[in-house]
Amino acid sequence: MARFTVILAAAGKSSRFEDNHYKKPFAILNRKAVWLHSADRFLKRDDVKQLIIVIAESDQEDFYSKFGANLAVSGIGVVIGGDERCESIANALKTVAATSDFVAIHDAARPCVSDDDIESVFAAAKLFNAAILACPVTSTLKQSADGSTIDGTVERSGLWQAMTPQVFSRELITSAYRKIGAEKPTDEAQLLEQQGHPVSIVLGSPMNIKITTKSDLAWAGACLEAMPKPKFDAPIHPFADDKLWR
């Protein structure tokens, strides 16, 4: 059985979330934190041998106060991120077990990824060494330099919206990060593109939304209610759904 390490990216600033108490990965969604919903999807898999969450240094004290019991029970590792996503992932890659065959990188703020989508992208990574979830762009896209007047319409044919997990062989992704250049990628697939390595696309569900604003929580909650329940849908410890950060 191939062995996977999962990295949950949760070190962003959450500037568009506009909440004085929570960053988006730590907001309460259906009675527990957003990132715990994401973690649950991977923790129940037999092939996931290591799970790491990357958080901002400024969140460290509150995170351990809030979720210390979860970490102890589940064995989730914590890594301190950097100013940019690529720096955060690079820090996490340093702690990936040498016995892992593949590394899956997932936005902690995507709590609605389905078991089927995870299975599909993991299988594609085993075949092609690099695979991401994505869905075709269906809406009409407009360009606007000033945000108030349309400058043009973008041809959407062939455009895909990238999602996570993005999954790579451990050797491939660690090698790619060692060769990173001045242009900082916004996701790992872009880093592989820059270095000329093909990345397989796996059709993902549009319900695998990334929570960006507070209004996204309601949509994510509805998606979770419509999805099959994980094997353990209760909080990993009895205090996981309280309001310690309020």
Side-chain angles (χ1 to χ4, degrees):
M1 178 187 295
R3 300 165 65 94
F4 287 78
T5 290
V6 176
I7 297 171
L8 294 180
K13 298 179 176 63
S14 294
S15 56
R16 287 176 288 176
F17 194 64
E18 297 182 345
D19 190 296
N20 293 328
H21 305 288
Y22 295 113
K23 289 185 177 179
K24 59 190 180 185
F26 314 126
I28 301 302
L29 171 63
N30 291 21
R31 299 182 300 107
K32 63 182 177 182
V34 166
W35 81 271
L36 286 173
H37 288 283
S38 299
D40 285 354
R41 291 289 170 183
F42 298 99
L43 286 172
K44 64 178 182 175
R45 292 184 59 94
D46 292 336
D47 54 0
V48 173
K49 305 300 183 182
Q50 182 184 26
L51 196 148
I52 301 162
I53 184 168
V54 190
I55 63 172
E57 185 174 9
S58 59
D59 292 331
Q60 191 172 5
E61 182 177 350
D62 284 336
F63 184 81
Y64 278 105
S65 174
K66 174 72 174 178
F67 302 113
N70 300 77
L71 303 174
V73 169
S74 62
I76 297 172
V78 180
V79 169
I80 302 303
D83 293 333
E84 304 289 340
R85 177 191 172 94
C86 59
E87 295 171 359
S88 296
I89 301 304
N91 289 350
L93 286 171
K94 296 173 185 176
T95 70
V96 170
T99 53
S100 288
D101 302 300
F102 295 90
V103 178
I105 299 160
H106 185 62
D107 299 319
R110 287 188 190 269
C112 303
V113 62
S114 71
D115 295 339
D116 287 345
D117 279 359
I118 294 172
E119 181 64 30
S120 295
V121 75
F122 275 30
K126 286 188 280 188
L127 286 174
F128 304 111
N129 285 327
I132 71 167
L133 287 178
C135 65
V137 173
T138 57
S139 299
T140 298
L141 301 177
K142 301 295 185 182
Q143 283 183 318
S144 175
D146 60 10
S148 60
T149 305
I150 293 174
D151 298 323
T153 300
V154 178
E155 172 56 49
R156 70 186 179 211
S157 176
L159 293 182
W160 289 71
Q161 179 182 343
M163 298 174 170
T164 64
Q166 301 192 356
V167 192
F168 312 91
S169 72
R170 179 178 59 83
E171 291 182 358
L172 177 62
I173 193 63
T174 53
S175 173
Y177 264 93
R178 284 196 295 268
K179 300 172 185 174
I180 197 166
E183 184 180 353
K184 304 301 183 184
T186 57
D187 69 358
E188 289 62 53
Q190 184 182 5
L191 176 60
L192 271 291
E193 294 162 31
Q194 291 170 351
Q195 298 181 10
H197 195 286
V199 180
S200 177
I201 289 177
V202 176
L203 179 63
S205 167
M207 289 200 301
N208 183 18
I209 66 167
K210 183 178 181 180
I211 294 174
T212 302
T213 66
K214 292 184 74 172
S215 62
D216 292 332
L217 284 173
W219 171 230
C223 290
L224 286 176
E225 290 297 325
M227 294 171 65
K229 302 302 182 189
K231 291 178 182 176
F232 46 93
D233 195 43
I236 296 175
H237 75 87
F239 308 108
D241 59 348
D242 63 7
K243 302 291 192 292
L244 271 178
W245 282 17
R246 286 291 186 187

